[in-house]
Amino acid sequence: VIAGLRHTGRDLSTHPMIKGAFVVLVLAALARVAPPWLGGEFTQPVGYGVSALCWCVGFLLYLIHFRGMLTTARADGLPG
């Protein structure tokens, strides 16, 4: 997110959608490591599935918000 904002000539301000993406990615990490604490091998496939779904949602939120920024000219008018 920081690189995307800086390379497109924008200020380092975080949109609520990107904050949501951060939260979803943290949930993905927790879903990945929680199954051994919650019930062992039977919950592990569910944890992996939830983790994968959270990663997809997080990156989808990122793409929705950054698509316009990454496909248009820099906001500050500099080349690049």
Side-chain angles (χ1 to χ4, degrees):
V1 169
I2 292 170
L5 290 171
R6 299 310 290 161
H7 286 290
T8 59
R10 289 169 173 78
D11 293 328
L12 292 177
S13 59
T14 308
H15 189 272
M17 185 180 293
I18 298 303
K19 290 179 183 177
F22 290 148
V23 169
V24 172
L25 291 179
V26 170
L27 291 175
L30 292 174
R32 178 83 176 186
V33 299
W37 298 331
L38 299 176
E41 63 190 49
F42 298 110
T43 59
Q44 195 158 4
V46 173
Y48 287 168
V50 170
S51 178
L53 182 64
C54 288
W55 272 95
C56 291
V57 169
F59 280 106
L60 181 64
L61 291 173
Y62 171 83
L63 286 174
I64 289 169
H65 181 68
F66 273 82
R67 182 191 60 177
M69 291 182 212
L70 298 174
T71 57
T72 58
R74 289 177 55 111
D76 58 6
L78 295 175

